[in-house]
Amino acid sequence: MPRPIKAIVDLSALRSNLALAKRAAPGARTLAVVKANAYGHGLLNAAHAFEDADGFAILEIENAVRLRDAGCRQPIVLLEGAFDSHDLRAAAEYQLACAIHDRDQVRLLQELPAAARLDLFVKLNTGMNRLGIAPRALPDVLDALRGEPRARSVTLMTHFACADDERGVEEQWGRFEAATRRFELPCTVANSAATLRYPQTHRDWIRPGIILYGASPFADVSAATLGLKPSMTLVSEIIGVQELAPGDAVGYGASFVAQRPMRIGIVACGYADGYPRHAPSGTPILVAGERTTTVGRVSMDMMCVDITAMPQAGRGSPVTLWGAGLSADEVAAAAGTISYELFCALAPRVPVIEQE
Ligand SMILES: *Cc1c(COP(=O)(O)O)cnc(C)c1O
């Protein structure tokens, strides 16, 4: 029997979340963001569930090529563009649209064979100060692209830093509008949070990621309230039981000490599976569908749960780390992180099983 941990990917939840994103932005097309192995869900599983997406956004050219080889005909956008001229040639060959976030990438484009044609997404820095061309440099870059036959189309893009919190998008959106209005080019701006909260930013293409995977982009609104369905459920089993007397400690560092007699279930899941090591004692977890809490430090391959109040629980009891019945957002918040990180950290050693 294999080790009992697995991530169950619910394809119908993925479809339902995509449909919700599309309903939120009825006038826009949808670039489904499938970077980081589709937020841990498995690139091809997700692409299959997202066949109604109008396009895909991803980082690595190898993975974009995997999508093409799997039969994906939609536009695929490389969100960081090409990293060198070799990449850019491959992008042209596989018809992958490329972000252009600096002038070096324009130069690489100009060095491509004359017959190459690429769709380009020119990324503006409107305040996140990560990647992107300064608004004042945009006219020059667009001039260069206008005279460049290899540039088949140009879409303007930016990315929000605070769309998910109370600061919102106003400042960045204002800068984007001011810099781009006169060019009348197609635009893509909205991530998940802006897709749900800021309809003015929908424009031509939305770029939802996290909502497609059933988690909330907002710290203060649950995924269930938004109508999202959990698409990844991480499950395992209790593989051992310990009876603790008051004063007995559990796990590395003896960080948890029982104050009363306790029954502890040992779960086959640890940080080497992607469960956050910094999740403290008290992080919610389900045993046989019932809520309880973790105790002690998460170790590499195991962690501990309190089953004192669950006399029927024992070796073989099913455990849900997050997903259906226990939102990843809640587990992430208890561990001081975000659902994005839980999903992306899912380790390669955890089998990912698709389910309808
Ligand atoms: C990751 C990413 C997104 C998706 O963000 P979510 O918050 O998951 O919706 C959109 N655009 C860009 C450029 C990204 O890197």
Side-chain angles (χ1 to χ4, degrees), residues 92-276:
E93 183 188 339
Y94 285 91
Q95 285 301 293
L96 309 171
C98 286
I100 297 274
H101 62 75
D102 70 10
R103 286 168 189 262
D104 278 351
Q105 291 176 321
V106 177
R107 187 180 45 75
L108 290 180
L109 180 78
Q110 290 163 336
E111 293 167 3
L112 276 182
R117 294 291 177 270
L118 275 168
D119 296 314
L120 303 176
F121 283 66
V122 173
K123 184 163 191 175
L124 269 157
N125 172 21
T126 55
M128 191 167 199
N129 292 315
R130 213 172 49 173
L131 291 184
I133 288 162
R136 67 176 177 286
L138 181 64
D140 267 8
V141 168
L142 290 181
D143 260 356
L145 295 178
R146 223 174 271 119
E148 176 49 72
R150 298 168 185 85
R152 181 170 46 212
S153 74
V154 172
T155 301
L156 299 175
M157 165 159 95
T158 197
H159 194 49
F160 291 132
C162 306
D164 55 319
D165 71 27
E166 66 292 341
R167 287 164 293 182
V169 301
E170 200 177 336
E171 210 172 303
Q172 283 190 265
W173 178 241
R175 284 190 201 128
F176 184 79
E177 283 245 285
T180 62
R181 197 180 292 121
R182 68 193 171 100
F183 299 112
E184 294 186 359
L185 289 167
C187 297
T188 173
V189 181
N191 58 3
S192 290
T195 294
L196 298 182
R197 257 186 202 166
Y198 302 105
Q200 72 274 27
T201 67
H202 290 166
R203 301 294 292 267
D204 300 273
W205 294 91
I206 56 168
R207 299 191 310 271
I210 196 68
I211 55 175
L212 303 182
Y213 306 102
S216 174
F218 309 115
D220 57 345
V221 188
S222 74
T225 304
L226 296 169
L228 299 167
K229 304 222 165 87
S231 56
M232 181 203 288
T233 302
L234 182 62
V235 298
S236 188
E237 286 180 11
I238 291 179
I239 57 171
V241 174
Q242 295 292 337
E243 309 277 348
L244 303 188
D248 286 348
V250 179
Y252 283 114
S255 70
F256 180 87
V257 178
Q259 304 298 312
R260 55 193 164 91
M262 287 181 85
R263 276 183 89 227
I264 299 293
I266 312 302
V267 181
C269 175
Y271 62 79
D273 298 300
Y275 194 90

Side-chain angles (χ1 to χ4, degrees), residues 9-25 30 41 45-46 48-53 195-196 206 208-215 223-224 226-231 355-356:
V9 167
D10 180 342
L11 300 179
S12 63
L14 291 174
R15 278 190 213 100
S16 159
N17 296 331
L18 174 66
L20 185 144
K22 291 177 72 137
R23 281 198 305 279
T30 302
H41 287 62
N45 293 341
H48 174 59
F50 296 153
E51 58 197 3
D52 282 350
T195 294
L196 298 182
I206 56 168
I210 196 68
I211 55 175
L212 303 182
Y213 306 102
L226 296 169
L228 299 167
K229 304 222 165 87
S231 56
Q355 225 165 60
E356 271 307 322

